[in-house]
Amino acid sequence: MASLPVWSTDFSVGHPQLDQQHMTLLSLGRQFMAAVTDPLLTDQFLIDSLNDLLALSKVHDAKEEILLAQANYPDLAAHQQQHRQERCRLEALIARISRGGVERSACAEEVQGWLMHLFTEADEPIRTFLRQQKVPGPAVHRQ
């Protein structure tokens, strides 16, 4: 079964609010991963969990995009496109679960892949950029 790490300062982008949202995304992701292994939880519960992840992702993406625009991040358009694609990916997973017949382990792997991509690849360029720009201060390090 797929798993997610606990928060690490290695994931920090150096912005307290973004880091807190990242921590919450990881926490919601871990809750979803636990839910897929519980046969007593319905598909609707999984859909609701994914909708929570999607809602926070939208809020987080908007905050991050505003911050990056204010800091004149040079690859903002590409990062915004990546956000849209990742949200579409979650929406598609929600739709597949709604239709039924989706393997729960595949759902867990997809959510794990999405979140790990976020922390290890998608946010790496902005992590580097924000740290170099020192925008805006110390990161949150606890979960």
Side-chain angles (χ1 to χ4, degrees):
M1 178 58 70
S3 65
L4 290 170
V6 295
W7 176 256
S8 164
T9 56
D10 292 340
F11 299 142
S12 173
V13 295
H15 184 277
Q17 189 175 11
L18 295 180
D19 285 343
Q20 187 61 52
Q21 290 170 344
H22 282 154
M23 289 179 212
T24 305
L25 284 168
L26 270 176
S27 178
L28 290 172
R30 280 195 302 277
Q31 290 172 18
F32 176 81
M33 306 288 267
V36 297
T37 64
D38 187 338
L40 299 178
L41 295 177
T42 65
D43 284 352
Q44 186 59 51
F45 184 89
L46 298 180
I47 291 167
D48 292 344
S49 295
L50 286 173
N51 278 320
D52 290 344
L53 268 168
L54 181 60
L56 179 56
S57 178
K58 289 177 181 178
V59 169
H60 170 74
D61 292 350
K63 175 66 178 173
E64 186 176 85
E65 290 169 9
I66 290 168
L67 179 71
L68 292 174
Q70 291 170 341
N72 296 313
Y73 180 60
D75 294 323
L76 178 59
H79 200 71
Q80 290 170 318
Q81 177 62 24
Q82 190 173 41
H83 282 163
R84 287 189 294 275
Q85 290 172 340
E86 294 300 330
R87 287 192 304 269
C88 285
R89 184 175 166 187
L90 276 183
E91 289 166 349
L93 179 58
I94 291 167
R96 287 196 315 272
I97 295 171
S98 296
R99 288 190 299 271
V102 177
E103 288 287 326
R104 286 183 171 212
S105 61
C107 295
E109 288 174 12
E110 190 157 345
V111 169
Q112 187 242 12
W114 168 64
L115 285 169
M116 290 311 299
H117 177 263
L118 169 69
F119 293 114
T120 62
E121 295 175 42
D123 277 356
E124 184 56 37
I126 68 161
R127 181 178 301 115
T128 301
F129 177 80
L130 291 175
R131 286 178 178 173
Q132 289 171 346
Q133 300 294 311
K134 296 184 170 76
V135 176
V140 175
H141 298 294
R142 299 179 67 187
Q143 183 170 8

PDB file of all heavy atoms in Angstrom, residues 124-136:
ATOM      1  N   GLU A 124       9.796  22.254  -6.125  1.00  0.00           N
ATOM      2  CA  GLU A 124      11.241  22.460  -5.979  1.00  0.00           C
ATOM      3  C   GLU A 124      11.713  23.779  -6.588  1.00  0.00           C
ATOM      4  O   GLU A 124      12.443  24.534  -5.934  1.00  0.00           O
ATOM      5  CB  GLU A 124      12.034  21.282  -6.556  1.00  0.00           C
ATOM      6  CG  GLU A 124      13.532  21.411  -6.351  1.00  0.00           C
ATOM      7  CD  GLU A 124      13.957  21.577  -4.895  1.00  0.00           C
ATOM      8  OE1 GLU A 124      13.340  20.952  -4.007  1.00  0.00           O
ATOM      9  OE2 GLU A 124      14.903  22.344  -4.640  1.00  0.00           O
ATOM     10  N   PRO A 125      11.301  24.114  -7.814  1.00  0.00           N
ATOM     11  CA  PRO A 125      11.754  25.407  -8.365  1.00  0.00           C
ATOM     12  C   PRO A 125      11.260  26.609  -7.556  1.00  0.00           C
ATOM     13  O   PRO A 125      12.005  27.575  -7.366  1.00  0.00           O
ATOM     14  CB  PRO A 125      11.166  25.429  -9.776  1.00  0.00           C
ATOM     15  CG  PRO A 125      10.857  24.023 -10.099  1.00  0.00           C
ATOM     16  CD  PRO A 125      10.550  23.344  -8.800  1.00  0.00           C
ATOM     17  N   ILE A 126      10.021  26.548  -7.058  1.00  0.00           N
ATOM     18  CA  ILE A 126       9.551  27.700  -6.283  1.00  0.00           C
ATOM     19  C   ILE A 126      10.194  27.721  -4.907  1.00  0.00           C
ATOM     20  O   ILE A 126      10.431  28.791  -4.349  1.00  0.00           O
ATOM     21  CB  ILE A 126       8.015  27.791  -6.199  1.00  0.00           C
ATOM     22  CG1 ILE A 126       7.425  26.676  -5.392  1.00  0.00           C
ATOM     23  CG2 ILE A 126       7.404  27.883  -7.563  1.00  0.00           C
ATOM     24  CD1 ILE A 126       6.029  26.953  -4.918  1.00  0.00           C
ATOM     25  N   ARG A 127      10.482  26.548  -4.358  1.00  0.00           N
ATOM     26  CA  ARG A 127      11.193  26.475  -3.078  1.00  0.00           C
ATOM     27  C   ARG A 127      12.534  27.204  -3.202  1.00  0.00           C
ATOM     28  O   ARG A 127      12.874  28.057  -2.383  1.00  0.00           O
ATOM     29  CB  ARG A 127      11.402  25.003  -2.689  1.00  0.00           C
ATOM     30  CG  ARG A 127      12.103  24.766  -1.379  1.00  0.00           C
ATOM     31  CD  ARG A 127      12.221  23.259  -1.072  1.00  0.00           C
ATOM     32  NE  ARG A 127      10.914  22.641  -1.005  1.00  0.00           N
ATOM     33  CZ  ARG A 127      10.461  21.712  -1.863  1.00  0.00           C
ATOM     34  NH1 ARG A 127      11.221  21.272  -2.846  1.00  0.00           N
ATOM     35  NH2 ARG A 127       9.254  21.212  -1.735  1.00  0.00           N
ATOM     36  N   THR A 128      13.264  26.880  -4.246  1.00  0.00           N
ATOM     37  CA  THR A 128      14.561  27.512  -4.488  1.00  0.00           C
ATOM     38  C   THR A 128      14.392  29.015  -4.702  1.00  0.00           C
ATOM     39  O   THR A 128      15.108  29.825  -4.110  1.00  0.00           O
ATOM     40  CB  THR A 128      15.246  26.868  -5.706  1.00  0.00           C
ATOM     41  OG1 THR A 128      15.405  25.464  -5.443  1.00  0.00           O
ATOM     42  CG2 THR A 128      16.596  27.495  -5.978  1.00  0.00           C
ATOM     43  N   PHE A 129      13.429  29.394  -5.534  1.00  0.00           N
ATOM     44  CA  PHE A 129      13.187  30.806  -5.835  1.00  0.00           C
ATOM     45  C   PHE A 129      12.820  31.585  -4.575  1.00  0.00           C
ATOM     46  O   PHE A 129      13.402  32.645  -4.300  1.00  0.00           O
ATOM     47  CB  PHE A 129      12.078  30.932  -6.885  1.00  0.00           C
ATOM     48  CG  PHE A 129      11.720  32.354  -7.210  1.00  0.00           C
ATOM     49  CD1 PHE A 129      12.507  33.097  -8.083  1.00  0.00           C
ATOM     50  CD2 PHE A 129      10.600  32.938  -6.650  1.00  0.00           C
ATOM     51  CE1 PHE A 129      12.181  34.417  -8.381  1.00  0.00           C
ATOM     52  CE2 PHE A 129      10.263  34.252  -6.946  1.00  0.00           C
ATOM     53  CZ  PHE A 129      11.061  34.992  -7.819  1.00  0.00           C
ATOM     54  N   LEU A 130      11.850  31.079  -3.799  1.00  0.00           N
ATOM     55  CA  LEU A 130      11.407  31.811  -2.613  1.00  0.00           C
ATOM     56  C   LEU A 130      12.504  31.909  -1.565  1.00  0.00           C
ATOM     57  O   LEU A 130      12.635  32.934  -0.893  1.00  0.00           O
ATOM     58  CB  LEU A 130      10.150  31.162  -2.023  1.00  0.00           C
ATOM     59  CG  LEU A 130       8.889  31.289  -2.864  1.00  0.00           C
ATOM     60  CD1 LEU A 130       7.740  30.515  -2.234  1.00  0.00           C
ATOM     61  CD2 LEU A 130       8.504  32.740  -3.075  1.00  0.00           C
ATOM     62  N   ARG A 131      13.301  30.870  -1.428  1.00  0.00           N
ATOM     63  CA  ARG A 131      14.413  30.936  -0.473  1.00  0.00           C
ATOM     64  C   ARG A 131      15.448  31.965  -0.919  1.00  0.00           C
ATOM     65  O   ARG A 131      15.992  32.691  -0.101  1.00  0.00           O
ATOM     66  CB  ARG A 131      15.042  29.560  -0.295  1.00  0.00           C
ATOM     67  CG  ARG A 131      14.175  28.623   0.531  1.00  0.00           C
ATOM     68  CD  ARG A 131      14.790  27.267   0.654  1.00  0.00           C
ATOM     69  NE  ARG A 131      13.968  26.394   1.487  1.00  0.00           N
ATOM     70  CZ  ARG A 131      14.207  25.111   1.654  1.00  0.00           C
ATOM     71  NH1 ARG A 131      15.233  24.535   1.052  1.00  0.00           N
ATOM     72  NH2 ARG A 131      13.427  24.384   2.425  1.00  0.00           N
ATOM     73  N   GLN A 132      15.719  32.024  -2.211  1.00  0.00           N
ATOM     74  CA  GLN A 132      16.670  33.019  -2.720  1.00  0.00           C
ATOM     75  C   GLN A 132      16.122  34.435  -2.563  1.00  0.00           C
ATOM     76  O   GLN A 132      16.874  35.359  -2.291  1.00  0.00           O
ATOM     77  CB  GLN A 132      16.990  32.750  -4.190  1.00  0.00           C
ATOM     78  CG  GLN A 132      17.837  31.533  -4.405  1.00  0.00           C
ATOM     79  CD  GLN A 132      17.968  31.166  -5.873  1.00  0.00           C
ATOM     80  OE1 GLN A 132      17.239  31.657  -6.727  1.00  0.00           O
ATOM     81  NE2 GLN A 132      18.903  30.275  -6.162  1.00  0.00           N
ATOM     82  N   GLN A 133      14.818  34.577  -2.744  1.00  0.00           N
ATOM     83  CA  GLN A 133      14.173  35.892  -2.625  1.00  0.00           C
ATOM     84  C   GLN A 133      13.913  36.268  -1.175  1.00  0.00           C
ATOM     85  O   GLN A 133      13.568  37.408  -0.892  1.00  0.00           O
ATOM     86  CB  GLN A 133      12.841  35.897  -3.388  1.00  0.00           C
ATOM     87  CG  GLN A 133      12.957  35.617  -4.860  1.00  0.00           C
ATOM     88  CD  GLN A 133      13.705  36.714  -5.575  1.00  0.00           C
ATOM     89  OE1 GLN A 133      13.412  37.884  -5.414  1.00  0.00           O
ATOM     90  NE2 GLN A 133      14.703  36.339  -6.368  1.00  0.00           N
ATOM     91  N   LYS A 134      14.016  35.269  -0.292  1.00  0.00           N
ATOM     92  CA  LYS A 134      13.692  35.460   1.129  1.00  0.00           C
ATOM     93  C   LYS A 134      12.270  36.009   1.292  1.00  0.00           C
ATOM     94  O   LYS A 134      12.030  36.999   1.993  1.00  0.00           O
ATOM     95  CB  LYS A 134      14.716  36.346   1.804  1.00  0.00           C
ATOM     96  CG  LYS A 134      16.087  35.735   1.832  1.00  0.00           C
ATOM     97  CD  LYS A 134      17.035  36.611   2.591  1.00  0.00           C
ATOM     98  CE  LYS A 134      18.324  35.944   2.849  1.00  0.00           C
ATOM     99  NZ  LYS A 134      19.326  35.704   2.057  1.00  0.00           N
ATOM    100  N   VAL A 135      11.327  35.328   0.652  1.00  0.00           N
ATOM    101  CA  VAL A 135       9.902  35.716   0.708  1.00  0.00           C
ATOM    102  C   VAL A 135       9.157  34.727   1.585  1.00  0.00           C
ATOM    103  O   VAL A 135       9.151  33.540   1.285  1.00  0.00           O
ATOM    104  CB  VAL A 135       9.276  35.684  -0.708  1.00  0.00           C
ATOM    105  CG1 VAL A 135       7.803  35.984  -0.652  1.00  0.00           C
ATOM    106  CG2 VAL A 135      10.001  36.631  -1.641  1.00  0.00           C
ATOM    107  N   PRO A 136       8.504  35.182   2.644  1.00  0.00           N
ATOM    108  CA  PRO A 136       8.644  36.430   3.333  1.00  0.00           C
ATOM    109  C   PRO A 136       9.383  36.265   4.633  1.00  0.00           C
ATOM    110  O   PRO A 136       9.665  37.240   5.301  1.00  0.00           O
ATOM    111  CB  PRO A 136       7.222  36.860   3.590  1.00  0.00           C
ATOM    112  CG  PRO A 136       6.526  35.587   3.914  1.00  0.00           C
ATOM    113  CD  PRO A 136       7.236  34.545   3.045  1.00  0.00           C
TER     114      PRO A 136
END
